[in-house]
Amino acid sequence: MSDTNDIQTFVQPYLVPEGSDELNANLRAMAESFAVTDDKIREIIKGFHKSMAAGLERDNPDVLPMIPTYVHRRPTGKETGTFLALDLGGTNLRVCQVTLNGDTTYTLVQQKFTITSEAKETRLWDFVAECVGVFLEEHDLRPAAGRRTIPCGYTFSFPIFQTGISSGNLSMWNKGFAVPNSVGRDVVNLTQSAFQRHHVPVEVVAILNDTVGTLMTSGYSQPDTQMGIIFGTGTNAAYWEELAAIHKWPTPDRSGEMVVNLEWGAFDNATEVLPYTPHDNKLNRKSHNHGLQVFEKMISGLFLGEVVRNAVLTLVDRRLVFEGRSSDIFNKSYTFDTAYMSEIVSDDSPDLALVKTVLESTLDLPPTTLVDRKIVKNVCNMVGSRSVRLSAAAMSAVLLARPKLMKSSISIGIDGSMYQFYPNFEADLYSVSRTFLGHDFVDNRLKLHLAKDGSGVGAAIVAMTVDQERGN
């Protein structure tokens, strides 16, 4: 794109010359609604800084949570030892044995357990204990000589209000979980009680979310890491902040630094600065957490395909695509997977054969014309472009909030399916960020890299730092 502050830059590529005037008028309006100009990004960055500052001052549901994580010791890459890690996500429980080699590398032995419907609804904590017990038995693991338990880091991918390095109260369930008598209670205590019931000799010494884990994993291999980001099914970020800037931190000692969990998916829930469209509103209205995580719903893999589906269906309703016809599959929510977007935007064949396969074979839509396929590809590109530009805006906002750090080289560890698999996502992050962070910094001092398995390895690293601080 040439001038990314000109709205026409975000319109012209998405018009279809062989289409009707009515079609192109609708595509123009749609492209304008999804456009994120440079000035809009500057407005978003300003909004981020205002919300970050307010969140560091005090807890307020209307601003970014800016949660202190109690993690205040950076990994050096020289740490050694073998530690246990649990990674509880929305679909799987991963139990990991992580060996830190002391040379910025590590080895990982892990086992994945699919979380059953029963566990999601009633007996999650016992399920976790049973799975950990199986892992210990199959890998013949037991406490070290002179110790009664194995220290463990716990990546808990649900919202918690953290009250210590090894304690946090569950704020709410999401991802389809509804375990009773859990909200408001310490999830470490609930897990530890289940370990005791099942005679599992493990002690959770640290609890963290997957973004903090990504930051710590990246920091072990790249000691100049300042941020960890998830661009995947959901999105979030954590970064190193000076304790002096965390005004809500309760202790008088303001020296040093601490990892802050932004929970940036909750940015601008009031939609005061984000480019919110009717297609986003439709998704939001039908979501289980209506009015929450609005930013996440605009940039994350779980939601982008649904935004595209909503947008395409408005064109179907106006008989501008597929001759006004749809299919039972396409009419159902969340049937247009974001993975289909990745396939469609990467299809450069003259007849868009891959797009045809997705639409007709996978989604059972009626026979499509080349114009139909161009329309769908263009809508995917509109939504995908908005996603990466908003992602770059958020990343840039956090870095610009710590300007001193930008004088040196900075690494950012990133995990997630959008970053890994969406076409040109990383390259576009660099490209968009240059305008706001400066060409010299982005080209010479900024390094984005994949922090794979961050939620497991990072939990083990934090467990190691806690264990060392205890003098073990």
Side-chain angles (χ1 to χ4, degrees), residues 156-205:
F156 191 79
S157 302
F158 299 87
I160 60 169
F161 178 74
Q162 199 151 353
T163 54
I165 189 64
S166 61
S167 58
N169 298 330
L170 181 67
S171 304
M172 60 178 279
W173 283 121
N174 56 18
K175 304 174 186 174
F177 282 60
V179 183
N181 303 316
S182 299
V183 174
R185 298 178 67 185
D186 184 349
V187 297
V188 174
N189 279 346
L190 291 168
T191 306
Q192 204 68 56
S193 296
F195 286 164
Q196 290 168 0
R197 286 195 298 273
H198 293 266
H199 308 289
V200 175
V202 169
E203 180 190 3
V204 175
V205 298

Side-chain angles (χ1 to χ4, degrees), residues 56 147 158 221 278 317 381:
L56 289 170
R147 302 185 63 155
F158 299 87
S221 58
D317 291 342
N381 274 316

Side-chain angles (χ1 to χ4, degrees), residues 54-349:
L56 289 170
E57 189 71 34
R58 63 178 63 88
D59 292 327
N60 179 342
D62 297 324
V63 300
L64 285 168
M66 306 299 289
I67 301 167
T69 64
Y70 295 80
V71 175
H72 57 83
R73 182 173 163 186
R74 289 177 181 254
T76 64
K78 298 177 181 177
E79 294 86 353
T80 60
T82 299
F83 298 86
L84 201 63
L86 306 182
D87 175 16
L88 182 68
T91 306
N92 298 306
L93 169 69
R94 277 197 313 154
V95 186
C96 312
Q97 182 189 27
V98 181
T99 301
L100 306 174
N101 299 323
D103 58 359
T104 75
T105 67
Y106 56 83
T107 55
L108 178 67
V109 177
Q110 62 178 322
Q111 194 167 346
K112 231 179 230 188
F113 300 87
T114 301
I115 302 171
T116 63
S117 298
E118 183 188 21
K120 291 182 180 183
E121 294 168 7
T122 54
R123 56 184 308 277
L124 177 67
W125 314 112
D126 289 293
F127 173 83
V128 171
E130 289 163 4
C131 293
V132 174
V134 167
F135 183 85
L136 297 185
E137 186 175 341
E138 291 190 359
H139 295 85
D140 196 25
L141 299 178
R142 51 181 59 89
R147 302 185 63 155
R148 296 175 59 191
T149 57
I150 302 171
C152 173
Y154 192 6
T155 298
F156 191 79
S157 302
F158 299 87
I160 60 169
F161 178 74
Q162 199 151 353
T163 54
I165 189 64
S166 61
S167 58
N169 298 330
L170 181 67
S171 304
M172 60 178 279
W173 283 121
N174 56 18
K175 304 174 186 174
F177 282 60
V179 183
N181 303 316
S182 299
V183 174
R185 298 178 67 185
D186 184 349
V187 297
V188 174
N189 279 346
L190 291 168
T191 306
Q192 204 68 56
S193 296
F195 286 164
Q196 290 168 0
R197 286 195 298 273
H198 293 266
H199 308 289
V200 175
V202 169
E203 180 190 3
V204 175
V205 298
I207 186 168
L208 57 152
N209 76 1
D210 50 1
T211 314
V212 178
T214 298
L215 170 60
M216 297 300 282
T217 301
S218 175
Y220 186 75
S221 58
Q222 307 278 345
D224 61 353
T225 297
Q226 300 294 348
M227 276 184 82
I229 307 177
I230 303 291
F231 289 128
T233 305
T235 186
N236 190 20
Y239 75 111
W240 286 101
E241 179 59 274
E242 293 176 324
L243 262 175
I246 309 174
H247 301 294
K248 64 184 178 184
W249 183 245
T251 60
D253 183 7
R254 298 286 177 182
S255 59
E257 56 185 357
M258 180 179 288
V259 175
V260 171
N261 166 21
L262 284 101
E263 289 293 341
W264 76 13
F267 173 66
D268 195 33
N269 280 337
T271 61
E272 293 174 347
V273 297
L274 291 173
Y276 198 62
T277 72
H279 318 296
D280 300 299
N281 192 53
K282 184 176 180 182
L283 180 150
N284 199 2
R285 274 191 295 110
K286 294 186 174 184
S287 64
H288 69 277
N289 57 349
H290 168 61
L292 302 175
Q293 300 295 105
V294 168
F295 184 62
E296 180 172 73
K297 291 169 184 173
M298 290 186 174
I299 71 173
S300 299
L302 180 60
F303 305 104
L304 293 188
E306 181 66 1
V307 176
V308 169
R309 193 187 71 89
N310 287 342
V312 171
L313 282 175
T314 64
L315 300 176
V316 171
D317 291 342
R318 293 168 185 171
R319 302 183 66 83
L320 296 172
V321 68
F322 313 143
E323 295 183 340
R325 294 178 293 172
S326 185
S327 69
D328 289 342
I329 295 174
F330 197 62
N331 286 338
K332 291 178 183 174
S333 298
Y334 293 94
T335 51
F336 189 86
D337 196 281
T338 302
Y340 302 157
M341 284 179 65
S342 296
E343 293 180 42
I344 287 170
V345 301
S346 61
D347 184 359
D348 293 324
S349 62

Side-chain angles (χ1 to χ4, degrees), residues 229-232 235 299 304 384-385 387-392 414 416-432 448:
I229 307 177
I230 303 291
F231 289 128
T235 186
I299 71 173
L304 293 188
S385 172
S387 170
V388 75
R389 289 182 66 79
L390 291 176
S391 299
I414 307 178
S417 54
M418 289 296 293
Y419 180 73
Q420 278 189 265
F421 303 120
Y422 195 82
N424 303 313
F425 195 91
E426 182 188 79
D428 289 342
L429 277 180
Y430 277 118
S431 177
V432 175
L448 310 180

